[in-house]
Every structure is written in structure tokens, then in C-alpha cells.
Amino acid sequence: MPLVVLRVTGQGSEFLAFVLLARHLGTADFGRLSVAFLLCRYLGLVADWGASLRGPRDVAAGAGAGVAIALVRRRYVITAAMSVAYLAGVLALGRPEFALIAVTIVGRGLGRDWMALGQERAVRAGTPSALQGLVVLAGSVFVTRISTAAIPIAAGYAVGAVASIALNRLPHRGGEKDVDVSGWMLVTLLADQVTASTDTVLLAGLRSASEAGIYAAVYRLPNAWVTLIGLGVLALIPSATRRLAEDRHQLKALRDRALRRGALLAVVLAVTIPPSYFLVPTIFGDAYRAGQLPLLLLLIATAVNALAAPLHPIYVALARDRGQAGITSAAAILNVTANLVVIPLVGMSGAASTTLAAQLLLLILYWRGVSASIGR
């Protein structure tokens, strides 16, 4: 519960911050800011190197200091490379006002919340997120133009990174050697991000910055749900890892319980769809009214995501990283390919429809993957 409260505080504050930015900047400028932020999220995921998923599992499984040290060192190098690449890109494109958003890459690549999460130290795992969101929100209140929009985002992520490092010291090496840390979980995280947000980037390129801004704004509502769902997934990884290590025969019971919980969560989410549809102009302003139908489709896709989500920590605990990378990559390929076809034709509604199709595919593949492991 402390983890959920702290993470919801952080993500909820960041959600409110982006609502303020959407209202203050207008659809076109908010679209440009959203694309820059999403690009940094992609690069931040590369810098993370899958630690946010495999890290809690490895710590819970008692993998030793060698894994943690190897992950941190690998992430240092990649964080530096991704940050330099982003800065070079925005400066070459003549958009220096977005340079500070590079701090989000650094924050993702240097954060160590996964260490506390694997140890089930909830306050340490959640405090950096809460601080990050609150700082972003406080700064966004004063933003009125695109030239200063990156400042509160950078400040929040910097505070979150410093807190995460301070609260999660590296373990002392006890004779363990550094181990090879594969990138399969990185592929999983990148593929999930592609499925969740590439449509916004493609809308900006294939349609207009204004449509991308509207879509990015309304997507904040399902993203709030996805954040809550993701918290549950991450929080369950350590316990699922330990239970399966103790008795592999618990897998069927875990799967069945996961499906029941997922179905309940999907029903709860479905109840929120009608009011969310009608509240779009109230929350974001009348300029965002065109996002109502896309939001309806995105929330249905999120309900499907909720149904599948409790299966995810079980699959992570099974340590079939390559298989999980294949599952998420299949959904990402479907999403991008379909978007290239439908976005030029029907715009935002087409993009939302491909997200729904990708989530249905993920549900099927995760269920089959976990079910196939029963009895092995």
C-alpha cells in the first residue's frame, strides 16, 4: 500500500501537470512537446536496460551483488550515449527549448527504485516517484509558453533521480564477479512503449502536430489507468518469483487467480468509460473535443490491458525473457504496421483502433505463454 500511494501520488501529479500544459500551450505546441517527451521516454527505456522489470526479479531471487553492479554500470554508459544523441538531435533540428527534457533520460537510466522494490521496501521504492511528480506539477503551474515547458519536467526528473540514488546504495561486492546482463527485457520494455505511444509520433508525422497534441492529451486518461496497472505488475514480481521458486506447482493457481483479478479490474475500468468520454472538453478544453472517440477506443484497449496485466508478473517470474520479448515485439510490429496504413486514412480513431488490436494480441499471447508452462 505505501508503494501504491507514493507512486499514484507521483504519477497523478504528473498527469495533472500535463493537463495544465495541454491547456496552457494549445494543441500544436503541446503536440510538439509530447513528441519530444516520448522520444526521451524511448531513449530512457534504452538507458534503463530492462532493469525496471528484471531488477526486482533478480533481487528477489537473491541473484547477488554482481547482477546489480553489472546493471548499474551498463546503464551508466548507455545513459550517457542516449543523452548525447538526443541533445545532438534537438540542437540539429533547431529546437533548443526541448534540450532540458534530456534529464528524463538521465533519470530513467540512473534510477535504482528496482533495488528497493525487489527487497519489498515500499517507501524507498515509491518516494522518488512522488517527489518527481510533485515537482513537475508545481513548476507546470507557471508555464505559459513552449520555451519554458521543459523546465519543470527536467526539474522533477532530476529530483527523482537524486532521491532514488540516495535511497538505494549499491550492495557491497561479496566476491561475486560482474555477470552478463542480457538485453531481452530492454526489448520487452521498448516494444511495450512502441505499442503504447508510437501512434502519437506517427500522427504528428502523417497528419499534424495538432492531432498529435489532441491524441496525446486524451491519452493521459488511459495512461493514468495503465500507470496503476503497471504498479500492480511491478509490485507482484518479487512475490511471484519467490512463490514459483518455492513450488512450481503453484503456477496454475497463480494463473487462475490472475485471470479473476484481471477480469474484475477490467469491469471496474469499463464503468469509467462513459463519464470519461463526456469529460474531455471539461478537462482539456473545447479544442480537444475531437479526441472523444479516440479516447473511447483507447479506454476499451486499456480494459483489455487490465485483463491481461496480472499475467505479466507471472511470466516475468518464469524468467523467459526471450519469449516475453517475442510476445511484446509481435504486438509492437502489429501496431506500427497497422498505424502506417490507417492513420493517413482515419487519423486518431485509426490509431486508437490499432492499440486495441495490439492489446487483444498481448492478452492471447500472455495467456498461452503462461498456460503452456503449467506442468513443465
Side-chain angles (χ1 to χ4, degrees):
M1 185 57 68
L3 175 68
V4 172
V5 171
L6 289 166
R7 289 280 181 92
V8 168
T9 298
Q11 294 298 323
S13 298
E14 196 166 320
F15 168 79
L16 292 175
F18 275 86
V19 170
L20 289 174
L21 292 172
R23 295 181 69 92
H24 293 169
L25 298 178
T27 59
D29 278 346
F30 183 71
R32 297 183 186 99
L33 176 68
S34 297
V35 170
F37 183 72
L38 287 174
L39 290 175
C40 283
R41 288 193 66 178
Y42 293 149
L43 296 175
L45 286 174
V46 178
D48 179 66
W49 201 253
S52 58
L53 273 183
R54 69 166 292 173
R57 180 194 66 198
D58 292 345
V59 171
V67 171
I69 293 171
L71 272 172
V72 168
R73 288 179 175 175
R74 175 71 59 85
R75 294 163 85 230
Y76 283 161
V77 175
I78 299 175
T79 296
M82 294 301 101
S83 301
V84 170
Y86 172 78
L87 288 171
V90 295
L91 294 176
L93 293 171
R95 305 307 303 239
E97 66 271 24
F98 296 141
L100 278 177
I101 305 180
V103 177
T104 64
I105 303 172
V106 177
R108 186 65 187 260
L110 301 188
R112 300 177 186 174
D113 297 350
W114 50 272
M115 295 173 61
L117 182 59
Q119 299 164 351
E120 296 190 88
R121 303 175 76 172
V123 174
R124 286 176 180 260
T127 297
S129 176
L131 293 174
Q132 173 183 300
L134 290 170
V135 171
V136 174
L137 176 59
S140 298
V141 172
F142 304 101
V143 173
T144 57
R145 57 187 186 274
I146 191 68
S147 60
T148 59
I151 296 175
I153 297 174
Y157 277 77
V159 168
V162 170
S164 183
I165 293 170
L167 291 171
N168 297 282
R169 300 293 186 180
L170 277 176
H172 294 291
R173 189 189 299 276
E176 304 100 328
K177 296 181 179 179
D178 286 352
V179 298
D180 179 55
V181 284
S182 68
W184 290 114
M185 279 304 189
L186 166 63
V187 175
T188 295
L189 288 169
L190 281 175
D192 278 338
Q193 190 62 48
V194 166
T195 300
S197 59
T198 299
D199 39 8
T200 301
V201 179
L202 292 176
L203 276 166
L206 299 175
R207 300 283 287 198
S208 68
S210 182
E211 280 198 50
I214 294 170
Y215 192 81
V218 300
Y219 214 145
R220 284 284 154 182
L221 294 173
N223 268 347
W225 279 106
V226 170
T227 297
L228 290 173
I229 294 167
L231 284 175
V233 170
L234 289 175
L236 289 172
I237 289 174
S239 60
T241 300
R242 285 197 309 274
R243 290 188 65 179
L244 290 179
E246 293 167 358
D247 183 5
R248 187 61 172 262
H249 294 93
Q250 295 187 66
L251 180 56
K252 185 177 184 300
L254 284 173
R255 183 205 63 181
D256 293 344
R257 183 182 302 172
L259 290 173
R260 291 194 297 270
R261 289 179 175 177
L264 177 61
L265 183 57
V267 170
V268 171
L269 198 150
V271 172
T272 71
I273 294 177
S276 299
Y277 175 89
F278 291 108
L279 284 173
V280 167
T282 303
I283 296 174
F284 298 103
D286 198 60
Y288 293 85
R289 189 179 295 275
Q292 287 179 293
L293 178 57
L295 174 62
L296 178 66
L297 295 170
L298 288 171
L299 285 172
I300 295 172
T302 307
V304 176
N305 177 293
L307 182 58
L311 295 171
H312 296 192
I314 300 174
Y315 205 99
V316 173
L318 290 170
R320 293 186 176 162
D321 296 357
R322 183 178 299 186
Q324 188 166 6
I327 288 173
T328 54
S329 295
I333 291 170
L334 168 66
N335 182 265
V336 173
T337 304
N339 271 327
L340 290 173
V341 175
V342 302
I343 284 178
L345 298 175
V346 288
M348 294 184 289
S349 296
S353 297
T354 63
T355 299
L356 174 56
Q359 292 300 334
L360 287 168
L361 178 61
L362 284 171
L363 171 61
I364 294 169
L365 293 179
Y366 270 114
W367 180 83
R368 290 185 62 184
V370 172
S371 297
S373 300
I374 296 175
R376 288 184 180 178

